[in-house]
Amino acid sequence: MEERPAGIQDSDVRDALRAWGIDPVTWQYAPVGFGDYHWTATDTRDRRWFVTVADLTHKSWYGDGTEAAFRGLRDAMDTAVALRDTAPNGHLDFVVAPVRTAEGESVRGLGAGHAVSVFPLMDGTAGHFGDTLTPHDRGLVVDLLSRLHRTAPPSSARAFPPEFATRPQLDCALGELANPWDGFGPYAEPARHLLADHAAALRHRLDEFDRRAAELKSASASLVITHGEPHPGNLLGAGERRLLLDWDTVGLAVPERDLWLVADGPDDLARYEESTGRKPDPSALALYRLRWALNDIAEFLTLLRAPHAQTPDAQQSWNALAATVGSLAAGA
């Protein structure tokens, strides 16, 4: 995020690092990503760290309220640590997991509604969401996911159904298009007009989502441990090595939850099938592609139907909302 978290000062985050035995010498806010807040730090022993502060009010996939979000984030970080360190078929060295505090915590509460976790700052070339991977790079990531999906899930891993937790926000917005969205901020009314113009198409895509989700459930497909968001923005490249970042969406699901973001044609899917013995389901791939877009729309609407100013983050939310709604409507 380009904006810093409301109510959290740099000194609060620095003080929290004492639980990890980290005393920063250099310290810098990193305006990267979308959703969480990040800093880089170097300590007195020249160790480099990547510090993440999560806004627990924006982790609805874990359940309602900040306490449920904290428990879910803790389970996710514990799962990442277990995959990195103690996976039964060999630790997964591509998992960039947090380091634990002296008390063994993978994540620690920070004030009301936030939580902090600490990662080693890794060398490599970071990707960006929306980047197009080369066939070679896609193959490397497909192989990485094949290893992950063949790994026995840690006990801390949660199951994630195909439904998305922000569905009520999207349904609510679609049901409130007749009245102005006054008082929220500069992008609220443009968002209402955008949804009104494409309401029929969006409802059609929601019906498609419900149909595909019901088909997946009736198939009773076996679940694997999935990352949830293995897009280029969560990849770090170092030569032929690929590291996978941001494990807060890790959980049990069908493998298509990951594959739709990486596979780009029959060769990639055949490579996955050869490695795992499991043939990807085209309908499940379409389901998770649609789910991503609908969830994004719901999250952007939640931000723009709340008090906001004309900030870079609000502008980014509006631009992404317009692009995603337009893309979904074109495919309806």
Side-chain angles (χ1 to χ4, degrees):
M1 298 286 280
E2 294 194 30
E3 302 167 43
R4 299 193 180 211
I8 300 293
Q9 305 299 319
D10 277 18
S11 57
D12 299 325
V13 185
R14 291 173 65 102
D15 289 346
L17 295 183
R18 294 173 183 167
W20 283 267
I22 297 173
D23 184 15
V25 174
T26 64
W27 176 259
Q28 186 175 4
Y29 184 72
V32 297
F34 191 85
D36 289 338
Y37 307 90
H38 308 286
W39 287 259
T40 59
T42 302
D43 67 15
T44 55
R45 296 162 59 185
D46 283 333
R47 298 175 301 177
R48 298 186 303 153
W49 304 103
F50 190 76
V51 181
T52 294
V53 170
D55 184 343
L56 298 176
T57 64
H58 293 158
K59 304 287 184 185
S60 59
W61 60 90
Y62 295 132
D64 294 330
T66 56
E67 291 186 6
F70 179 81
R71 292 193 298 270
L73 182 60
R74 180 188 59 203
D75 287 348
M77 294 299 99
D78 285 348
T79 297
V81 172
L83 291 171
R84 181 192 63 196
D85 296 341
T86 60
N89 57 341
H91 71 280
L92 303 181
D93 57 0
F94 59 81
V95 177
V96 180
V99 295
R100 293 191 183 275
T101 67
E103 297 179 1
E105 302 161 300
S106 62
V107 62
R108 189 177 181 90
L110 181 66
H114 292 85
V116 60
S117 48
V118 178
F119 303 81
L121 185 60
M122 312 295 291
D123 292 323
T125 302
H128 301 279
F129 183 80
D131 285 352
T132 299
L133 297 178
T134 66
H136 176 72
D137 285 340
R138 288 201 311 273
L140 294 177
V141 181
V142 167
D143 292 345
L144 178 153
L145 292 177
S146 297
R147 287 180 61 196
L148 175 65
H149 295 173
R150 295 196 308 266
T151 299
S155 60
S156 53
R158 295 187 175 198
F160 285 112
E163 291 81 9
F164 54 103
T166 54
R167 174 70 177 268
Q169 289 92 308
L170 179 52
D171 289 335
C172 180
L174 286 169
E176 296 180 352
L177 296 175
N179 299 314
W181 295 353
D182 292 332
F184 295 124
Y187 296 106
E189 268 295 273
R192 183 176 72 89
H193 287 292
L194 175 72
L195 247 64
D197 289 343
H198 299 291
L202 289 175
R203 292 189 177 100
H204 176 76
R205 300 310 298 270
L206 284 166
D207 289 343
E208 177 190 347
F209 174 84
D210 291 337
R211 174 179 57 80
R212 291 189 185 277
E215 290 173 354
L216 180 62
K217 287 185 175 181
S218 66
S220 300
S222 58
L223 307 184
V224 299
I225 187 70
T226 61
H227 176 276
E229 297 185 348
H231 55 71
N234 285 334
L235 291 171
L236 192 68
E240 286 295 286
R241 190 181 183 205
R242 296 295 178 272
L243 304 177
L244 196 48
L245 314 172
D246 288 355
W247 288 81
D248 61 342
T249 55
V250 65
L252 297 170
V254 294
E256 290 83 0
R257 181 181 188 234
D258 285 340
L259 288 174
W260 83 267
L261 274 161
V262 178
D264 186 27
D267 290 346
D268 295 333
L269 298 176
R271 182 170 182 151
Y272 179 85
E273 183 179 359
E274 182 179 357
S275 178
T276 64
R278 180 164 178 164
K279 184 178 180 64
D281 176 14
S283 180
L285 291 169
L287 166 68
Y288 277 96
R289 182 177 295 107
L290 180 55
R291 180 192 188 278
W292 182 281
L294 291 170
N295 182 68
D296 270 359
I297 290 172
E299 290 190 346
F300 295 137
L301 285 171
T302 299
L303 290 170
L304 300 180
R305 278 164 52 85
H308 66 274
Q310 195 158 355
T311 63
D313 288 333
Q315 175 75 56
Q316 182 180 355
S317 296
W318 161 247
N319 291 342
L321 174 67
T324 307
V325 169
S327 177
L328 269 192

